[in-house]
Amino acid sequence: MSAVPAGRKRGARAEVPITKDAIVETAFRIIEERGLEAFSMRSLATELGVFPATLYWHVGDRSCLLGLVEHRWIEEVVLPDECTDWRDWMLQLGRRYRAHALAHPNVARLATIERARNVDSLVIPDAIVGKLIEIGLDRDLVHAYNAIMGAVRGFVLLELSPRSEPDAESDVESDLRNLDEERFPNITAQFDRLGDHALSMRWSNGVDRPLNDSFDFLMSLLIDGLAARLPVTRP
Amino acid sequence: MSAVPAGRKRGARAEVPITKDAIVETAFRIIEERGLEAFSMRSLATELGVFPATLYWHVGDRSCLLGLVEHRWIEEVVLPDECTDWRDWMLQLGRRYRAHALAHPNVARLATIERARNVDSLVIPDAIVGKLIEIGLDRDLVHAYNAIMGAVRGFVLLELSPRSEPDAESDVESDLRNLDEERFPNITAQFDRLGDHALSMRWSNGVDRPLNDSFDFLMSLLIDGLAARLPVTRP
DNA sequence: ACCTGAACACCGTTCAAGT
DNA sequence: ACCTGAACACCGTTCAAGT
């Protein structure tokens, strides 16, 4: 929108006051609308109509800023109602996390890949740990938590990581359609079901072709597995 | 090692012949030894003692080169023996994949995050699809494949993604040790078990503190779940 | 306190020109 | 066919200087 800072006087205030929140908000928008590779400290500064150095005064360096963007994203996920069955609670939380990731895929990818820098983003982990203890998991608490967290966040990340750049979709599609039947007998035999629907075999991206049923299948594997490992409680 | 190309004659051949394999090999080594952020087309060229443009002639651009590096990594994973029980086969494959990732964490992270560009890297997917069909999965073939693939690769990726930079480990540790008991009652109550052992609550990285038991726990959740969803076969 | 303007040390990529 | 040397259009970050 706005161009490079037009001849403002040295040290003069920006016409629109620059705040930390405005910077994070704009960074979020750039990443979501134009992709992470379109985001830079300089492009952000240009968008805000200030010099790059201004950003450093407000939010620190690039890494800090991305941490703030991640945090703004993850804190919008709302926990399910406490008083439902734990299986339902777990499924709902997984679905809400994933829905929020599909709504903001670029920031979601960023938040999963980069280490989260904000301690605040531990509200979901804390809730999961609490729920696992509540249902009686004790000895395998850490493993159950890691399994759920790793599987769910990992699945969503891979779902959102397309095989191809947007401009090369058709290339990938034809590569996959013409796989060698000798080398990949199983994939080629099942290609009508797998093509564009299975991880590593898609040409569309995760937002255009969401893997809803596969995600629910994974959630049911995890939840059933946990249920089977619960201590037997006589009602 | 070698410095910038010393006054070689314009157009003269490099003293060590530059091949595609040598470029990929060196790129692999730089990423593994010094991290992905230390890798650049220019640093690689310097290491090889040539000008950056030379690389473009041999391997195309940066994105293509990283694709080749990924491929060199994934093709080293060897499939388990065909004639074992399918549960064992699946567990072994997961463990081998993970072991190989822990052995080359930086390239493994790269390969999981970026889309794989090489069709050749579908040998593992093809083997999994074949195994799933062999044991009788049909209706949920795609979902079972996606669940396993997403959960396993995702878990390993998150395990390898540390919360902190190597130089800020102690900061993260003290942040986590001093969590607010009001906001995070469950984590603080279980901190002796969770601290440095649960995803998002670690300060050491995934190689120094591997989550072996958690991974096996996840594998057993997945495998038991698949077994329960198999069509009943009378022996 | 807040922002400019310039500088520093990097990038990826392209291309004419050489052998 | 293979490589140089230079150029182009970018980066993130720092810092003295201004108001």
PDB file of all heavy atoms in Angstrom, chain A residues 82-116:
ATOM      1  N   GLU A  82     -14.994 -27.957  29.323  1.00  0.00           N
ATOM      2  CA  GLU A  82     -14.385 -28.887  30.267  1.00  0.00           C
ATOM      3  C   GLU A  82     -15.234 -30.145  30.523  1.00  0.00           C
ATOM      4  O   GLU A  82     -14.730 -31.249  30.630  1.00  0.00           O
ATOM      5  CB  GLU A  82     -14.147 -28.193  31.619  1.00  0.00           C
ATOM      6  CG  GLU A  82     -12.708 -27.757  31.838  1.00  0.00           C
ATOM      7  CD  GLU A  82     -11.687 -28.853  31.567  1.00  0.00           C
ATOM      8  OE1 GLU A  82     -11.928 -30.013  31.949  1.00  0.00           O
ATOM      9  OE2 GLU A  82     -10.649 -28.550  30.969  1.00  0.00           O
ATOM     10  N   CYS A  83     -16.533 -29.928  30.603  1.00  0.00           N
ATOM     11  CA  CYS A  83     -17.377 -30.999  31.151  1.00  0.00           C
ATOM     12  C   CYS A  83     -17.950 -31.941  30.093  1.00  0.00           C
ATOM     13  O   CYS A  83     -19.097 -32.358  30.174  1.00  0.00           O
ATOM     14  CB  CYS A  83     -18.484 -30.435  32.013  1.00  0.00           C
ATOM     15  SG  CYS A  83     -18.673 -28.648  31.935  1.00  0.00           S
ATOM     16  N   THR A  84     -17.166 -32.242  29.085  1.00  0.00           N
ATOM     17  CA  THR A  84     -17.621 -33.257  28.146  1.00  0.00           C
ATOM     18  C   THR A  84     -16.797 -34.514  28.368  1.00  0.00           C
ATOM     19  O   THR A  84     -15.805 -34.504  29.073  1.00  0.00           O
ATOM     20  CB  THR A  84     -17.413 -32.785  26.690  1.00  0.00           C
ATOM     21  OG1 THR A  84     -16.077 -32.298  26.544  1.00  0.00           O
ATOM     22  CG2 THR A  84     -18.385 -31.690  26.341  1.00  0.00           C
ATOM     23  N   ASP A  85     -17.221 -35.584  27.766  1.00  0.00           N
ATOM     24  CA  ASP A  85     -16.461 -36.828  27.800  1.00  0.00           C
ATOM     25  C   ASP A  85     -15.051 -36.578  27.289  1.00  0.00           C
ATOM     26  O   ASP A  85     -14.852 -35.815  26.341  1.00  0.00           O
ATOM     27  CB  ASP A  85     -17.180 -37.866  26.917  1.00  0.00           C
ATOM     28  CG  ASP A  85     -16.346 -39.123  26.742  1.00  0.00           C
ATOM     29  OD1 ASP A  85     -16.037 -39.760  27.762  1.00  0.00           O
ATOM     30  OD2 ASP A  85     -15.980 -39.434  25.585  1.00  0.00           O
ATOM     31  N   TRP A  86     -14.076 -37.215  27.895  1.00  0.00           N
ATOM     32  CA  TRP A  86     -12.683 -36.917  27.518  1.00  0.00           C
ATOM     33  C   TRP A  86     -12.388 -37.247  26.078  1.00  0.00           C
ATOM     34  O   TRP A  86     -11.576 -36.566  25.416  1.00  0.00           O
ATOM     35  CB  TRP A  86     -11.694 -37.639  28.438  1.00  0.00           C
ATOM     36  CG  TRP A  86     -11.576 -39.117  28.232  1.00  0.00           C
ATOM     37  CD1 TRP A  86     -12.288 -40.097  28.875  1.00  0.00           C
ATOM     38  CD2 TRP A  86     -10.688 -39.789  27.334  1.00  0.00           C
ATOM     39  NE1 TRP A  86     -11.908 -41.330  28.425  1.00  0.00           N
ATOM     40  CE2 TRP A  86     -10.921 -41.183  27.480  1.00  0.00           C
ATOM     41  CE3 TRP A  86      -9.729 -39.365  26.421  1.00  0.00           C
ATOM     42  CZ2 TRP A  86     -10.227 -42.140  26.731  1.00  0.00           C
ATOM     43  CZ3 TRP A  86      -9.042 -40.319  25.683  1.00  0.00           C
ATOM     44  CH2 TRP A  86      -9.287 -41.697  25.838  1.00  0.00           C
ATOM     45  N   ARG A  87     -13.022 -38.280  25.530  1.00  0.00           N
ATOM     46  CA  ARG A  87     -12.795 -38.623  24.127  1.00  0.00           C
ATOM     47  C   ARG A  87     -13.274 -37.500  23.226  1.00  0.00           C
ATOM     48  O   ARG A  87     -12.607 -37.108  22.260  1.00  0.00           O
ATOM     49  CB  ARG A  87     -13.564 -39.895  23.763  1.00  0.00           C
ATOM     50  CG  ARG A  87     -13.099 -41.155  24.486  1.00  0.00           C
ATOM     51  CD  ARG A  87     -14.239 -42.181  24.493  1.00  0.00           C
ATOM     52  NE  ARG A  87     -13.772 -43.535  24.738  1.00  0.00           N
ATOM     53  CZ  ARG A  87     -13.342 -44.367  23.797  1.00  0.00           C
ATOM     54  NH1 ARG A  87     -13.333 -43.983  22.532  1.00  0.00           N
ATOM     55  NH2 ARG A  87     -12.927 -45.572  24.107  1.00  0.00           N
ATOM     56  N   ASP A  88     -14.431 -36.989  23.543  1.00  0.00           N
ATOM     57  CA  ASP A  88     -14.970 -35.875  22.786  1.00  0.00           C
ATOM     58  C   ASP A  88     -14.103 -34.629  22.935  1.00  0.00           C
ATOM     59  O   ASP A  88     -13.854 -33.914  21.965  1.00  0.00           O
ATOM     60  CB  ASP A  88     -16.381 -35.550  23.296  1.00  0.00           C
ATOM     61  CG  ASP A  88     -17.390 -35.629  22.180  1.00  0.00           C
ATOM     62  OD1 ASP A  88     -17.429 -36.686  21.516  1.00  0.00           O
ATOM     63  OD2 ASP A  88     -18.102 -34.629  21.960  1.00  0.00           O
ATOM     64  N   TRP A  89     -13.660 -34.404  24.144  1.00  0.00           N
ATOM     65  CA  TRP A  89     -12.811 -33.242  24.434  1.00  0.00           C
ATOM     66  C   TRP A  89     -11.550 -33.281  23.570  1.00  0.00           C
ATOM     67  O   TRP A  89     -11.177 -32.303  22.930  1.00  0.00           O
ATOM     68  CB  TRP A  89     -12.446 -33.227  25.922  1.00  0.00           C
ATOM     69  CG  TRP A  89     -11.697 -32.010  26.364  1.00  0.00           C
ATOM     70  CD1 TRP A  89     -12.233 -30.841  26.823  1.00  0.00           C
ATOM     71  CD2 TRP A  89     -10.276 -31.843  26.397  1.00  0.00           C
ATOM     72  NE1 TRP A  89     -11.236 -29.946  27.139  1.00  0.00           N
ATOM     73  CE2 TRP A  89     -10.018 -30.542  26.885  1.00  0.00           C
ATOM     74  CE3 TRP A  89      -9.196 -32.660  26.063  1.00  0.00           C
ATOM     75  CZ2 TRP A  89      -8.725 -30.043  27.046  1.00  0.00           C
ATOM     76  CZ3 TRP A  89      -7.914 -32.158  26.219  1.00  0.00           C
ATOM     77  CH2 TRP A  89      -7.693 -30.863  26.709  1.00  0.00           C
ATOM     78  N   MET A  90     -10.934 -34.446  23.532  1.00  0.00           N
ATOM     79  CA  MET A  90      -9.692 -34.614  22.777  1.00  0.00           C
ATOM     80  C   MET A  90      -9.943 -34.425  21.276  1.00  0.00           C
ATOM     81  O   MET A  90      -9.171 -33.749  20.592  1.00  0.00           O
ATOM     82  CB  MET A  90      -9.146 -36.012  23.052  1.00  0.00           C
ATOM     83  CG  MET A  90      -7.657 -36.128  22.959  1.00  0.00           C
ATOM     84  SD  MET A  90      -6.792 -35.246  24.276  1.00  0.00           S
ATOM     85  CE  MET A  90      -6.580 -36.534  25.498  1.00  0.00           C
ATOM     86  N   LEU A  91     -10.995 -35.035  20.784  1.00  0.00           N
ATOM     87  CA  LEU A  91     -11.320 -34.921  19.359  1.00  0.00           C
ATOM     88  C   LEU A  91     -11.609 -33.472  18.975  1.00  0.00           C
ATOM     89  O   LEU A  91     -11.136 -32.975  17.952  1.00  0.00           O
ATOM     90  CB  LEU A  91     -12.521 -35.810  19.022  1.00  0.00           C
ATOM     91  CG  LEU A  91     -13.012 -35.762  17.568  1.00  0.00           C
ATOM     92  CD1 LEU A  91     -11.927 -36.210  16.602  1.00  0.00           C
ATOM     93  CD2 LEU A  91     -14.269 -36.627  17.401  1.00  0.00           C
ATOM     94  N   GLN A  92     -12.397 -32.795  19.819  1.00  0.00           N
ATOM     95  CA  GLN A  92     -12.731 -31.395  19.541  1.00  0.00           C
ATOM     96  C   GLN A  92     -11.488 -30.513  19.525  1.00  0.00           C
ATOM     97  O   GLN A  92     -11.336 -29.650  18.661  1.00  0.00           O
ATOM     98  CB  GLN A  92     -13.729 -30.858  20.572  1.00  0.00           C
ATOM     99  CG  GLN A  92     -15.116 -31.471  20.482  1.00  0.00           C
ATOM    100  CD  GLN A  92     -15.702 -31.421  19.084  1.00  0.00           C
ATOM    101  OE1 GLN A  92     -15.524 -30.446  18.359  1.00  0.00           O
ATOM    102  NE2 GLN A  92     -16.356 -32.494  18.675  1.00  0.00           N
ATOM    103  N   LEU A  93     -10.614 -30.731  20.486  1.00  0.00           N
ATOM    104  CA  LEU A  93      -9.386 -29.923  20.544  1.00  0.00           C
ATOM    105  C   LEU A  93      -8.551 -30.128  19.290  1.00  0.00           C
ATOM    106  O   LEU A  93      -8.074 -29.169  18.679  1.00  0.00           O
ATOM    107  CB  LEU A  93      -8.577 -30.281  21.794  1.00  0.00           C
ATOM    108  CG  LEU A  93      -7.239 -29.533  21.958  1.00  0.00           C
ATOM    109  CD1 LEU A  93      -7.448 -28.026  21.911  1.00  0.00           C
ATOM    110  CD2 LEU A  93      -6.560 -29.939  23.263  1.00  0.00           C
ATOM    111  N   GLY A  94      -8.404 -31.380  18.891  1.00  0.00           N
ATOM    112  CA  GLY A  94      -7.655 -31.673  17.674  1.00  0.00           C
ATOM    113  C   GLY A  94      -8.278 -31.002  16.465  1.00  0.00           C
ATOM    114  O   GLY A  94      -7.587 -30.390  15.648  1.00  0.00           O
ATOM    115  N   ARG A  95      -9.584 -31.102  16.365  1.00  0.00           N
ATOM    116  CA  ARG A  95     -10.268 -30.504  15.209  1.00  0.00           C
ATOM    117  C   ARG A  95     -10.166 -28.991  15.199  1.00  0.00           C
ATOM    118  O   ARG A  95     -10.019 -28.362  14.147  1.00  0.00           O
ATOM    119  CB  ARG A  95     -11.741 -30.915  15.217  1.00  0.00           C
ATOM    120  CG  ARG A  95     -11.976 -32.325  14.712  1.00  0.00           C
ATOM    121  CD  ARG A  95     -13.455 -32.635  14.740  1.00  0.00           C
ATOM    122  NE  ARG A  95     -13.772 -33.922  14.121  1.00  0.00           N
ATOM    123  CZ  ARG A  95     -14.940 -34.545  14.258  1.00  0.00           C
ATOM    124  NH1 ARG A  95     -15.897 -34.002  15.006  1.00  0.00           N
ATOM    125  NH2 ARG A  95     -15.154 -35.689  13.671  1.00  0.00           N
ATOM    126  N   ARG A  96     -10.263 -28.386  16.369  1.00  0.00           N
ATOM    127  CA  ARG A  96     -10.176 -26.924  16.434  1.00  0.00           C
ATOM    128  C   ARG A  96      -8.777 -26.444  16.082  1.00  0.00           C
ATOM    129  O   ARG A  96      -8.608 -25.447  15.379  1.00  0.00           O
ATOM    130  CB  ARG A  96     -10.541 -26.433  17.838  1.00  0.00           C
ATOM    131  CG  ARG A  96     -12.011 -26.560  18.134  1.00  0.00           C
ATOM    132  CD  ARG A  96     -12.334 -25.975  19.478  1.00  0.00           C
ATOM    133  NE  ARG A  96     -13.710 -26.271  19.856  1.00  0.00           N
ATOM    134  CZ  ARG A  96     -14.299 -25.785  20.930  1.00  0.00           C
ATOM    135  NH1 ARG A  96     -13.623 -24.988  21.745  1.00  0.00           N
ATOM    136  NH2 ARG A  96     -15.547 -26.095  21.203  1.00  0.00           N
ATOM    137  N   TYR A  97      -7.783 -27.165  16.596  1.00  0.00           N
ATOM    138  CA  TYR A  97      -6.403 -26.815  16.254  1.00  0.00           C
ATOM    139  C   TYR A  97      -6.213 -26.878  14.744  1.00  0.00           C
ATOM    140  O   TYR A  97      -5.697 -25.957  14.121  1.00  0.00           O
ATOM    141  CB  TYR A  97      -5.430 -27.763  16.960  1.00  0.00           C
ATOM    142  CG  TYR A  97      -4.000 -27.596  16.507  1.00  0.00           C
ATOM    143  CD1 TYR A  97      -3.185 -26.606  17.050  1.00  0.00           C
ATOM    144  CD2 TYR A  97      -3.469 -28.408  15.501  1.00  0.00           C
ATOM    145  CE1 TYR A  97      -1.882 -26.431  16.617  1.00  0.00           C
ATOM    146  CE2 TYR A  97      -2.160 -28.241  15.066  1.00  0.00           C
ATOM    147  CZ  TYR A  97      -1.377 -27.253  15.629  1.00  0.00           C
ATOM    148  OH  TYR A  97      -0.093 -27.081  15.189  1.00  0.00           O
ATOM    149  N   ARG A  98      -6.674 -27.983  14.167  1.00  0.00           N
ATOM    150  CA  ARG A  98      -6.493 -28.171  12.728  1.00  0.00           C
ATOM    151  C   ARG A  98      -7.280 -27.154  11.908  1.00  0.00           C
ATOM    152  O   ARG A  98      -6.778 -26.611  10.912  1.00  0.00           O
ATOM    153  CB  ARG A  98      -6.912 -29.589  12.331  1.00  0.00           C
ATOM    154  CG  ARG A  98      -6.835 -29.859  10.851  1.00  0.00           C
ATOM    155  CD  ARG A  98      -6.982 -31.329  10.551  1.00  0.00           C
ATOM    156  NE  ARG A  98      -7.110 -31.574   9.122  1.00  0.00           N
ATOM    157  CZ  ARG A  98      -8.267 -31.560   8.482  1.00  0.00           C
ATOM    158  NH1 ARG A  98      -9.392 -31.321   9.142  1.00  0.00           N
ATOM    159  NH2 ARG A  98      -8.299 -31.778   7.185  1.00  0.00           N
ATOM    160  N   ALA A  99      -8.507 -26.866  12.332  1.00  0.00           N
ATOM    161  CA  ALA A  99      -9.318 -25.886  11.604  1.00  0.00           C
ATOM    162  C   ALA A  99      -8.648 -24.517  11.611  1.00  0.00           C
ATOM    163  O   ALA A  99      -8.633 -23.806  10.599  1.00  0.00           O
ATOM    164  CB  ALA A  99     -10.712 -25.786  12.229  1.00  0.00           C
ATOM    165  N   HIS A 100      -8.071 -24.172  12.746  1.00  0.00           N
ATOM    166  CA  HIS A 100      -7.385 -22.891  12.850  1.00  0.00           C
ATOM    167  C   HIS A 100      -6.122 -22.865  11.989  1.00  0.00           C
ATOM    168  O   HIS A 100      -5.749 -21.828  11.442  1.00  0.00           O
ATOM    169  CB  HIS A 100      -7.029 -22.624  14.315  1.00  0.00           C
ATOM    170  CG  HIS A 100      -6.822 -21.182  14.616  1.00  0.00           C
ATOM    171  ND1 HIS A 100      -5.627 -20.686  15.076  1.00  0.00           N
ATOM    172  CD2 HIS A 100      -7.656 -20.119  14.501  1.00  0.00           C
ATOM    173  CE1 HIS A 100      -5.746 -19.376  15.239  1.00  0.00           C
ATOM    174  NE2 HIS A 100      -6.960 -19.008  14.901  1.00  0.00           N
ATOM    175  N   ALA A 101      -5.481 -24.022  11.883  1.00  0.00           N
ATOM    176  CA  ALA A 101      -4.294 -24.121  11.023  1.00  0.00           C
ATOM    177  C   ALA A 101      -4.691 -23.988   9.554  1.00  0.00           C
ATOM    178  O   ALA A 101      -4.021 -23.301   8.778  1.00  0.00           O
ATOM    179  CB  ALA A 101      -3.571 -25.439  11.267  1.00  0.00           C
ATOM    180  N   LEU A 102      -5.789 -24.606   9.158  1.00  0.00           N
ATOM    181  CA  LEU A 102      -6.233 -24.512   7.770  1.00  0.00           C
ATOM    182  C   LEU A 102      -6.706 -23.101   7.436  1.00  0.00           C
ATOM    183  O   LEU A 102      -6.636 -22.677   6.277  1.00  0.00           O
ATOM    184  CB  LEU A 102      -7.360 -25.520   7.499  1.00  0.00           C
ATOM    185  CG  LEU A 102      -6.930 -26.985   7.433  1.00  0.00           C
ATOM    186  CD1 LEU A 102      -8.151 -27.900   7.291  1.00  0.00           C
ATOM    187  CD2 LEU A 102      -5.977 -27.219   6.268  1.00  0.00           C
ATOM    188  N   ALA A 103      -7.159 -22.386   8.456  1.00  0.00           N
ATOM    189  CA  ALA A 103      -7.614 -21.009   8.227  1.00  0.00           C
ATOM    190  C   ALA A 103      -6.429 -20.058   8.036  1.00  0.00           C
ATOM    191  O   ALA A 103      -6.554 -19.032   7.362  1.00  0.00           O
ATOM    192  CB  ALA A 103      -8.490 -20.537   9.386  1.00  0.00           C
ATOM    193  N   HIS A 104      -5.295 -20.392   8.624  1.00  0.00           N
ATOM    194  CA  HIS A 104      -4.094 -19.546   8.504  1.00  0.00           C
ATOM    195  C   HIS A 104      -2.896 -20.436   8.224  1.00  0.00           C
ATOM    196  O   HIS A 104      -1.977 -20.539   9.049  1.00  0.00           O
ATOM    197  CB  HIS A 104      -3.878 -18.754   9.792  1.00  0.00           C
ATOM    198  CG  HIS A 104      -5.075 -17.985  10.260  1.00  0.00           C
ATOM    199  ND1 HIS A 104      -5.489 -16.820   9.650  1.00  0.00           N
ATOM    200  CD2 HIS A 104      -5.967 -18.232  11.241  1.00  0.00           C
ATOM    201  CE1 HIS A 104      -6.573 -16.370  10.259  1.00  0.00           C
ATOM    202  NE2 HIS A 104      -6.881 -17.211  11.235  1.00  0.00           N
ATOM    203  N   PRO A 105      -2.862 -21.060   7.052  1.00  0.00           N
ATOM    204  CA  PRO A 105      -1.870 -22.106   6.792  1.00  0.00           C
ATOM    205  C   PRO A 105      -0.424 -21.642   6.855  1.00  0.00           C
ATOM    206  O   PRO A 105       0.437 -22.356   7.375  1.00  0.00           O
ATOM    207  CB  PRO A 105      -2.231 -22.597   5.383  1.00  0.00           C
ATOM    208  CG  PRO A 105      -3.024 -21.492   4.775  1.00  0.00           C
ATOM    209  CD  PRO A 105      -3.753 -20.846   5.898  1.00  0.00           C
ATOM    210  N   ASN A 106      -0.129 -20.461   6.352  1.00  0.00           N
ATOM    211  CA  ASN A 106       1.266 -20.030   6.309  1.00  0.00           C
ATOM    212  C   ASN A 106       1.832 -19.767   7.694  1.00  0.00           C
ATOM    213  O   ASN A 106       2.952 -20.166   8.008  1.00  0.00           O
ATOM    214  CB  ASN A 106       1.402 -18.780   5.438  1.00  0.00           C
ATOM    215  CG  ASN A 106       1.113 -19.066   3.978  1.00  0.00           C
ATOM    216  OD1 ASN A 106       1.261 -20.196   3.531  1.00  0.00           O
ATOM    217  ND2 ASN A 106       0.666 -18.057   3.252  1.00  0.00           N
ATOM    218  N   VAL A 107       1.035 -19.104   8.524  1.00  0.00           N
ATOM    219  CA  VAL A 107       1.487 -18.845   9.888  1.00  0.00           C
ATOM    220  C   VAL A 107       1.522 -20.151  10.685  1.00  0.00           C
ATOM    221  O   VAL A 107       2.419 -20.367  11.492  1.00  0.00           O
ATOM    222  CB  VAL A 107       0.585 -17.807  10.588  1.00  0.00           C
ATOM    223  CG1 VAL A 107       0.931 -17.699  12.064  1.00  0.00           C
ATOM    224  CG2 VAL A 107       0.734 -16.453   9.917  1.00  0.00           C
ATOM    225  N   ALA A 108       0.569 -21.033  10.430  1.00  0.00           N
ATOM    226  CA  ALA A 108       0.541 -22.313  11.139  1.00  0.00           C
ATOM    227  C   ALA A 108       1.786 -23.132  10.841  1.00  0.00           C
ATOM    228  O   ALA A 108       2.388 -23.723  11.743  1.00  0.00           O
ATOM    229  CB  ALA A 108      -0.711 -23.100  10.751  1.00  0.00           C
ATOM    230  N   ARG A 109       2.193 -23.168   9.594  1.00  0.00           N
ATOM    231  CA  ARG A 109       3.421 -23.870   9.224  1.00  0.00           C
ATOM    232  C   ARG A 109       4.615 -23.269   9.938  1.00  0.00           C
ATOM    233  O   ARG A 109       5.446 -23.973  10.510  1.00  0.00           O
ATOM    234  CB  ARG A 109       3.650 -23.778   7.715  1.00  0.00           C
ATOM    235  CG  ARG A 109       2.733 -24.662   6.891  1.00  0.00           C
ATOM    236  CD  ARG A 109       3.268 -24.718   5.471  1.00  0.00           C
ATOM    237  NE  ARG A 109       4.717 -24.707   5.505  1.00  0.00           N
ATOM    238  CZ  ARG A 109       5.513 -25.238   4.601  1.00  0.00           C
ATOM    239  NH1 ARG A 109       4.991 -25.823   3.560  1.00  0.00           N
ATOM    240  NH2 ARG A 109       6.813 -25.187   4.706  1.00  0.00           N
ATOM    241  N   LEU A 110       4.672 -21.962   9.908  1.00  0.00           N
ATOM    242  CA  LEU A 110       5.754 -21.258  10.583  1.00  0.00           C
ATOM    243  C   LEU A 110       5.811 -21.617  12.059  1.00  0.00           C
ATOM    244  O   LEU A 110       6.881 -21.907  12.611  1.00  0.00           O
ATOM    245  CB  LEU A 110       5.537 -19.750  10.418  1.00  0.00           C
ATOM    246  CG  LEU A 110       6.465 -18.824  11.187  1.00  0.00           C
ATOM    247  CD1 LEU A 110       7.864 -18.903  10.622  1.00  0.00           C
ATOM    248  CD2 LEU A 110       5.945 -17.394  11.134  1.00  0.00           C
ATOM    249  N   ALA A 111       4.654 -21.630  12.705  1.00  0.00           N
ATOM    250  CA  ALA A 111       4.596 -21.858  14.151  1.00  0.00           C
ATOM    251  C   ALA A 111       4.990 -23.287  14.513  1.00  0.00           C
ATOM    252  O   ALA A 111       5.497 -23.545  15.595  1.00  0.00           O
ATOM    253  CB  ALA A 111       3.203 -21.551  14.678  1.00  0.00           C
ATOM    254  N   THR A 112       4.755 -24.222  13.615  1.00  0.00           N
ATOM    255  CA  THR A 112       5.094 -25.616  13.911  1.00  0.00           C
ATOM    256  C   THR A 112       6.575 -25.877  13.672  1.00  0.00           C
ATOM    257  O   THR A 112       7.203 -26.639  14.405  1.00  0.00           O
ATOM    258  CB  THR A 112       4.275 -26.562  13.017  1.00  0.00           C
ATOM    259  OG1 THR A 112       2.906 -26.147  13.029  1.00  0.00           O
ATOM    260  CG2 THR A 112       4.358 -27.991  13.531  1.00  0.00           C
ATOM    261  N   ILE A 113       7.116 -25.242  12.667  1.00  0.00           N
ATOM    262  CA  ILE A 113       8.493 -25.518  12.287  1.00  0.00           C
ATOM    263  C   ILE A 113       9.479 -24.818  13.201  1.00  0.00           C
ATOM    264  O   ILE A 113      10.391 -25.418  13.742  1.00  0.00           O
ATOM    265  CB  ILE A 113       8.731 -25.065  10.829  1.00  0.00           C
ATOM    266  CG1 ILE A 113       7.924 -25.958   9.900  1.00  0.00           C
ATOM    267  CG2 ILE A 113      10.198 -25.136  10.496  1.00  0.00           C
ATOM    268  CD1 ILE A 113       7.834 -25.426   8.496  1.00  0.00           C
ATOM    269  N   GLU A 114       9.290 -23.524  13.357  1.00  0.00           N
ATOM    270  CA  GLU A 114      10.178 -22.770  14.233  1.00  0.00           C
ATOM    271  C   GLU A 114       9.870 -23.150  15.673  1.00  0.00           C
ATOM    272  O   GLU A 114       8.765 -23.539  15.993  1.00  0.00           O
ATOM    273  CB  GLU A 114       9.942 -21.269  14.045  1.00  0.00           C
ATOM    274  CG  GLU A 114      10.037 -20.802  12.624  1.00  0.00           C
ATOM    275  CD  GLU A 114      11.480 -20.633  12.175  1.00  0.00           C
ATOM    276  OE1 GLU A 114      12.295 -20.193  12.986  1.00  0.00           O
ATOM    277  OE2 GLU A 114      11.775 -20.975  11.026  1.00  0.00           O
ATOM    278  N   ARG A 115      10.859 -23.076  16.516  1.00  0.00           N
ATOM    279  CA  ARG A 115      10.608 -23.281  17.932  1.00  0.00           C
ATOM    280  C   ARG A 115       9.723 -22.141  18.418  1.00  0.00           C
ATOM    281  O   ARG A 115       9.936 -20.978  18.079  1.00  0.00           O
ATOM    282  CB  ARG A 115      11.908 -23.320  18.703  1.00  0.00           C
ATOM    283  CG  ARG A 115      12.733 -22.072  18.537  1.00  0.00           C
ATOM    284  CD  ARG A 115      14.106 -22.359  17.993  1.00  0.00           C
ATOM    285  NE  ARG A 115      14.512 -21.333  17.045  1.00  0.00           N
ATOM    286  CZ  ARG A 115      14.255 -21.421  15.729  1.00  0.00           C
ATOM    287  NH1 ARG A 115      13.615 -22.449  15.234  1.00  0.00           N
ATOM    288  NH2 ARG A 115      14.627 -20.482  14.908  1.00  0.00           N
ATOM    289  N   ALA A 116       8.748 -22.486  19.234  1.00  0.00           N
ATOM    290  CA  ALA A 116       7.917 -21.450  19.832  1.00  0.00           C
ATOM    291  C   ALA A 116       8.728 -20.762  20.921  1.00  0.00           C
ATOM    292  O   ALA A 116       9.345 -21.406  21.742  1.00  0.00           O
ATOM    293  CB  ALA A 116       6.654 -22.053  20.419  1.00  0.00           C
TER     294      ALA A 116
END
